[in-house]
Amino acid sequence: MDKARNNGWKWLVLVSLLFFTGLSSKAEEAINVQEIVFSHIQDAYTWHITEWGEHEISIPLPVIVKGEESGWHVFLSSRLNDGAEYENFMIAQEGTYAGKIVERLNSGDIVRPLDISLTKNVCGLLLACTLLLIAVLKTANWYKKHPCEAPGGFVGMMEAVVNYIEEDVIKKSIGMADYKPFSSYLLTVFFFILINNLIGIIPIFPGGANVTGNIAVTMVLAVCTFLAVNLFGTKAYWKDIFWPNTPIFLKLPIPIMPFVEFFGIFTKPFALMIRLFANIMAGHTIILALTCLIFITVSMGVWVNIGMTFVSVAFCIFMNCLELFVACLQAYIFTLLSASYIGLAKVKE
């Protein structure tokens, strides 16, 4: 029985390898790795699921644009497939607006309309927010129905994570006297980043949206922390910025240190934005690049291709495990640094 099972696994592996080799042998020209990688990590107006032969299976998403000459338009992105033009709108294939919807004016000029379409990243963002809302409401509802019981399962896991973040991160960074107004924000940020990171690792629908690998999303998160720090900073915090405790010649007649401290107000949220964006983007890029090894080595022969397929799969498994760790770590680091910056802004005289 064991021998038959082992033989079955061997045949399964061999068939899988031959399947990937057969797919890759269809490529008549060398593949463009850069194009493949960036097409998967960039935003899109359709949600790609898979390919069946020459046919792409995807979900068209709503396009909502306001043209300069024709006003508002709402239609499905399937009308713009394969470079098609619909109501003077199309997806630019090259140039400054490559991959974005552009409008052809009556004069022939190509301009970028006001675009509030539900793209892949927007849908991924809405999915993450829905999951976060369900998780929080489910946990709160359980506590309402079982006020004197110890939770277990999903609710118990949520309680353990919330307690850890609040006790060991928020309270220690901000202080017992000032942490409450910021606790809800920081917990929301932690779970929001964590859920989006985890969804981004899932390679099949409805996962795969590169939300936290989008610099616009990380910028909004960083701006929220920037506002939380500077709108609620104490007088002592602002005094340390404009009149720091340094030798007088570093403050007068040239305000060297005040300038450095003021510049630091903006570099801290900028570092938050870049750190989260770069780590998530890099992880997705490396996994896709390793996957492309299967197809790059087609021209080197069957056995080389089979060997590199094993290597590619092994490295992809390792990178996915590493990405799972990074997904949790980056949510923790963003929350920890945000709490630390808020705590520094709440310093007393």
Side-chain angles (χ1 to χ4, degrees):
M1 187 68 179
D2 291 338
K3 184 177 180 181
R5 187 182 294 110
N6 290 334
N7 288 333
W9 278 110
K10 290 178 182 178
W11 277 108
L12 179 60
V13 171
L14 180 59
V15 170
S16 300
L17 292 173
L18 292 175
F19 173 74
F20 280 115
T21 305
L23 283 178
S24 56
S25 64
K26 294 180 181 180
E28 298 180 357
E29 300 178 357
I31 65 172
N32 188 334
V33 177
Q34 181 178 347
E35 181 181 349
I36 292 175
V37 170
F38 281 97
S39 66
H40 280 79
I41 62 178
Q42 287 179 341
D43 204 359
Y45 292 95
T46 59
W47 200 318
H48 174 82
I49 299 177
T50 186
E51 290 185 4
W52 188 265
E54 299 295 328
H55 181 66
E56 179 185 4
I57 301 176
S58 60
I59 299 177
L61 300 174
V63 173
I64 308 172
V65 291
K66 182 181 181 183
E68 287 193 7
E69 298 178 340
S70 54
W72 288 100
H73 297 262
V74 179
F75 53 89
L76 290 178
S77 60
S78 55
R79 294 185 178 274
L80 304 179
N81 286 348
D82 302 321
E85 185 172 331
Y86 178 74
E87 295 182 348
N88 293 333
F89 296 99
M90 56 187 172
I91 298 178
Q93 303 299 316
E94 56 185 8
T96 306
Y97 304 128
K100 302 296 183 182
I101 291 179
V102 295
E103 179 187 12
R104 188 189 303 276
L105 302 179
N106 293 331
S107 61
D109 295 333
I110 301 297
V111 297
R112 182 90 166 94
L114 176 62
D115 187 356
I116 56 172
S117 304
L118 295 181
T119 61
K120 180 181 177 180
N121 281 351
V122 173
C123 291
L125 194 63
L126 294 174
L127 173 63
C129 292
T130 302
L131 293 176
L132 176 58
L133 187 62
I134 291 172
V136 171
L137 291 179
K138 180 180 179 180
T139 304
N141 188 53
W142 188 93
Y143 278 105
K144 184 182 291 186
K145 293 181 178 179
H146 308 84
C148 300
E149 297 182 26
F154 175 79
V155 177
M157 181 189 69
M158 286 289 292
E159 181 184 16
V161 175
V162 169
N163 281 341
Y164 174 75
I165 296 298
E166 188 168 65
E167 296 293 332
D168 291 355
V169 175
I170 299 175
K171 287 185 179 179
K172 287 186 177 180
S173 298
I174 301 178
M176 293 294 294
D178 302 311
Y179 84 93
K180 285 186 178 180
F182 306 98
S183 182
S184 298
Y185 163 69
L186 292 170
L187 285 170
T188 302
V189 165
F190 173 79
F191 283 108
F192 175 80
I193 295 175
L194 178 62
I195 291 175
N196 276 294
N197 288 351
L198 294 177
I199 290 177
I201 298 174
I202 301 173
I204 58 175
F205 179 83
N210 188 30
V211 176
T212 43
N214 187 316
I215 198 167
V217 175
T218 61
M219 181 186 68
V220 171
L221 293 172
V223 167
C224 290
T225 296
F226 172 81
L227 294 176
V229 170
N230 294 288
L231 290 181
F232 301 98
T234 62
K235 293 181 179 180
Y237 166 73
W238 288 107
K239 177 182 176 295
D240 287 339
I241 290 175
F242 292 107
W243 195 257
N245 187 20
T246 57
I248 192 66
F249 65 86
L250 293 176
K251 296 181 286 189
L252 293 175
I254 302 176
I256 298 175
M257 287 308 299
F259 174 79
V260 171
E261 294 291 339
F262 183 76
F263 187 68
I265 294 176
F266 303 97
T267 56
K268 290 175 182 176
F270 182 79
L272 284 177
M273 174 184 72
I274 296 299
R275 179 183 287 104
L276 179 58
F277 160 74
N279 279 279
I280 302 304
M281 173 72 80
H284 291 179
T285 303
I286 291 171
I287 290 174
L288 289 167
L290 288 172
T291 304
C292 289
L293 283 176
I294 299 173
F295 307 99
I296 293 173
T297 57
V298 171
S299 60
M300 299 179 184
V302 174
W303 292 110
V304 173
N305 186 224
I306 290 175
M308 291 307 297
T309 299
F310 272 115
V311 173
S312 176
V313 170
F315 273 108
C316 283
I317 293 173
F318 169 75
M319 283 302 303
N320 272 284
C321 293
L322 184 61
E323 276 290 280
L324 183 61
F325 171 71
V326 170
C328 302
L329 181 64
Q330 288 304 314
Y332 172 79
I333 289 176
F334 193 99
T335 308
L336 175 64
L337 291 178
S338 296
S340 298
Y341 296 155
I342 293 172
L344 292 173
K346 302 300 290 183
V347 64
K348 302 294 191 298
E349 287 285 0

